[in-house]
Amino acid sequence: MKFLISFALLLSFAAKASDIDSLKLLAESSREEVRLEALYQLSKRLYPTDPGLAYDYALQQKQLASRVGNQLWLGKAYGILAYIDTKEGALDKAVSNYVNAIEIFKALKKYLHLADNYYNLGDIFLLAEDYNNAQKYFEKAYELFSNEGDETYFSWINLNIGRCLAAKGKHSEAIEKYNKAILQANGDSYILNLVYNRMGISYYEEGKYDLARDNYLKSISIDNLTDKKRKEIIAFNNIGESYLAEEKFDKAADLFNHSLDLVQQVRDPDFKLRGITLLNFGQLHFERSEYSKASEYLRSIALDTKSDIINRDLLKALKLLNKIHNIEAEKNQYPDGKEMLLYENLYNEQLTLIDELNHKLMSLNNQYMLQVNYEVPLLKGQVEELVAALKESRVYMAIAILVAILIAIPLFIHLRRAYLVRKVLAG
C-alpha cells in the first residue's frame, strides 16, 4: 500500500506542463531504466487530467518491461494499471492486474510492494461489498507491513478492517479496530475524521445514540481539519438521523436545516450532500405522516440527482415515494401519471445499473477464484494429504478425499456466485 497510496497522494497535485514535457523526453531515452521510470511517472502525473493517456503510458511501461525482462517494473506497471482500472470502474480488469502484480512481487520477494497490492486488492472487494475477501487482503497487507517494520499505514488498514466487520454486523469488533486506528493515526486529521465517523455509525447501529453523537461531533472537532464544511454536513446529517431514530423530530429537523444551510456554501457537483439532506427531510416528514412535505423533498432528489450511476439515496427516495403513493391511493388520492412514469423509469434505470454491477462482480469473482487457489493453497494442502495417504496405501481414503474435493469446489463456487447475485440485487 505504501507505494500506491503515495501514488494516490501524488494524484492530488496538478501536473505541471514543464514536468510532463521533461518526462516525455526521458521516455524516449536510450536507457531502458530511465524510460521505465519516466513512463511510470507520466502515468501518475497525468491520471487526474487525462486518465486515458495515463493508461496508455502504463501500458507502454508494461510492454517495455516485459520486452526487456524487468520484472520489478512489470509488477509496478500492473499495479498502476489496476489502480486506474479501479478508479474508472473496471473492477474485473483491476483484479486481474493486481493478481499479476502480486505474483511478480511474490517471486521477487518485494514484500512492501506485495503488501501495497494486497491492500489495494482488498479495497476493490470492499468497494464490491465482498467484505470477507476484503478483510482477508487487508489482514495480509497488515501482516506483511508489520514483518517489514513499516507501520505507516496501520491506521488505514485497521479502519478498513473495521468497515468490513461493521458491514457484517460485528460492531463491537469494528469499534476495537477503530480505536486501534485512532492510536495509530499520529494526529492525522483526515483519517481521524473518517474513523470517528465510522465509529459513530457502529454505535448508531447498536442503538447507542449518545455514543454515536459523541463520535460524530469528534469527527468535526479535530484540529487542522480540511474541507470542514463538507464534513460538517455529513456529521450533522448523521446526528440528525440518530435523533430521528429516537423520534426526537424537532432536534432532527434543526440538524437537517443546518446541513441544508451548509450545502449552499460548498461545491456539490454530484448533488450527493444535498441529496443526503433532502432524503433525511423526506424521512422526517414521512415519520410525522406529513406526506405532502415528504413528497416535496423526495421529488427534488428524483428530479435533480444524476441517474446514470448507482445512487442508493435515489433508490431510497423512490421507494419512500412509492410508499407515500400507496398510502394516498388508499385515500383515493392518485398521483400524476407522468410523474409516476418518470419515477418508474428512474427506478428501472437504477436496477439496470445494479444488474451491470452484478455482471462485473461475477467476472471479478471468477478472477478471484484463481487468486484464492494461488494465495491460499487449500487445494495444495489437500493434495499433499492425498499423496501421503497413497504412499501409506490408504487408497480408499485418498479417493474419498479427492471425490470430496471435486464435489465441494464447484458447489462452493456456485453458492458464492448465487450469494453475490442476491446481495447486489437486494441493494
Side-chain angles (χ1 to χ4, degrees):
M1 178 174 60
K2 181 177 182 179
F3 302 96
L4 283 181
I5 282 187
S6 62
F7 170 30
L9 293 174
L10 281 171
L11 296 182
S12 64
F13 298 97
K16 295 181 180 179
S18 58
D19 292 341
I20 297 298
D21 290 341
S22 298
L23 287 170
K24 286 180 179 178
L25 289 174
L26 291 172
E28 301 297 325
S29 170
S30 59
R31 295 175 56 194
E32 291 162 351
E33 191 78 16
V34 172
R35 290 173 62 192
L36 288 166
E37 174 71 36
L39 291 168
Y40 178 75
Q41 293 296 334
L42 282 168
S43 295
K44 292 196 297 185
R45 302 290 184 85
L46 286 170
Y47 174 72
T49 56
D50 194 338
L53 186 55
Y55 202 81
D56 287 342
Y57 280 121
L59 284 174
Q60 290 180 43
Q61 178 192 335
K62 171 190 163 187
Q63 291 162 359
L64 177 59
S66 181
R67 180 167 57 81
V68 301
N70 191 316
Q71 289 296 295
L72 178 60
W73 282 108
L74 182 59
K76 289 183 178 182
Y78 278 124
I80 289 184
L81 288 169
Y83 182 88
I84 299 175
D85 284 332
T86 304
K87 294 300 181 183
E88 297 301 305
L91 301 185
D92 47 347
K93 290 172 63 180
V95 170
S96 179
N97 281 320
Y98 276 132
V99 168
N100 288 330
I102 285 169
E103 289 177 347
I104 290 170
F105 292 133
K106 228 180 202 185
L108 296 176
K109 298 183 179 179
K110 296 290 185 180
Y111 295 117
L112 289 179
H113 288 284
L114 186 59
D116 184 38
N117 282 273
Y118 279 150
Y119 179 90
N120 286 285
L121 190 55
D123 211 29
I124 288 181
F125 287 106
L126 182 61
L127 181 66
E129 299 183 355
D130 186 348
Y131 302 112
N132 287 326
N133 289 327
Q135 183 177 342
K136 184 188 78 169
Y137 280 104
F138 289 137
E139 288 171 347
K140 288 181 183 300
Y142 194 97
E143 179 184 353
L144 284 172
F145 278 123
S146 181
N147 290 342
E148 294 296 303
D150 189 337
E151 300 181 4
T152 310
Y153 301 105
F154 277 10
S155 185
W156 282 100
I157 298 175
N158 274 317
L159 166 61
N160 283 327
I161 293 175
R163 290 176 63 189
C164 294
L165 291 166
K168 293 186 285 186
K170 299 178 180 180
H171 293 290
S172 295
E173 294 178 47
I175 289 167
E176 289 181 14
K177 292 294 182 182
Y178 295 147
N179 279 319
K180 286 184 180 179
I182 290 168
L183 294 174
Q184 296 164 334
N186 295 319
D188 186 322
S189 61
Y190 183 80
I191 190 169
L192 285 172
N193 168 263
L194 297 175
V195 175
Y196 281 124
N197 187 57
R198 286 288 170 180
M199 193 177 296
I201 292 171
S202 280
Y203 280 126
Y204 173 89
E205 293 296 335
E206 290 186 324
K208 299 175 181 177
Y209 300 120
D210 287 336
L211 287 172
R213 288 189 282 269
D214 286 346
N215 280 279
Y216 292 142
L217 287 172
K218 285 180 182 178
S219 76
I220 53 174
S221 302
I222 303 163
D223 292 336
N224 303 316
L225 191 62
T226 59
D227 202 7
K228 189 169 183 177
K229 287 182 179 178
R230 184 177 296 272
K231 294 176 174 65
E232 285 177 340
I233 293 168
I234 295 170
F236 292 144
N237 268 291
N238 287 337
I239 295 170
E241 285 183 36
S242 72
Y243 283 124
L244 188 58
E246 294 180 310
E247 297 186 354
K248 297 177 180 178
F249 298 131
D250 290 340
K251 287 187 175 182
D254 288 342
L255 270 298
F256 297 150
N257 274 312
H258 190 35
S259 297
L260 199 57
D261 289 340
L262 287 173
V263 168
Q264 313 303 321
Q265 303 173 37
V266 301
R267 184 173 176 270
D268 187 22
D270 56 2
F271 195 71
K272 185 173 179 61
L273 298 175
R274 180 175 168 81
I276 291 170
T277 309
L278 293 178
L279 176 61
N280 280 326
F281 267 120
Q283 291 174 326
L284 169 66
H285 290 295
F286 181 84
E287 294 297 327
R288 284 176 156 176
S289 300
E290 298 168 349
Y291 301 125
S292 178
K293 288 185 178 179
S295 294
E296 181 182 341
Y297 287 109
L298 298 170
R299 284 192 188 100
S300 296
I301 299 174
L303 294 174
D304 296 341
T305 304
K306 292 181 180 179
S307 60
D308 58 347
I309 58 173
I310 294 175
N311 188 314
R312 302 294 179 183
D313 293 331
L314 175 58
L315 275 172
K316 289 177 184 177
L318 293 170
K319 288 178 180 178
L320 205 52
L321 275 171
N322 187 57
K323 286 184 179 180
I324 292 171
H325 293 155
N326 289 336
I327 291 170
E328 291 175 340
E330 291 177 0
K331 301 175 183 178
N332 294 321
Q333 299 174 3
Y334 298 102
D336 178 79
K338 289 184 178 179
E339 181 182 278
M340 288 297 295
L341 182 61
L342 170 64
Y343 298 151
E344 183 179 351
N345 288 338
L346 284 173
Y347 193 78
N348 288 334
E349 287 174 15
Q350 287 292 299
L351 291 182
T352 299
L353 290 170
I354 290 173
D355 186 55
E356 291 173 354
L357 175 60
N358 174 60
H359 288 303
K360 286 185 179 181
L361 288 174
M362 293 295 289
S363 177
L364 184 154
N365 193 49
N366 289 337
Q367 292 283 350
Y368 174 72
M369 290 310 298
L370 298 175
Q371 175 61 11
V372 167
N373 295 338
Y374 172 80
E375 176 50 32
V376 185
L378 298 176
L379 290 181
K380 180 182 177 183
Q382 291 166 336
V383 169
E384 287 174 350
E385 290 177 12
L386 175 59
V387 171
L390 287 170
K391 287 181 177 179
E392 296 173 13
S393 299
R394 296 201 296 265
V395 177
Y396 293 108
M397 183 182 293
I399 291 173
I401 294 171
L402 179 59
V403 170
I405 293 170
L406 292 175
I407 292 172
I409 293 171
L411 179 61
F412 172 78
I413 295 172
H414 173 76
L415 292 175
R416 179 68 183 161
R417 290 178 178 173
Y419 167 73
L420 284 174
V421 170
R422 290 196 301 272
K423 182 169 68 173
V424 173
L425 292 179

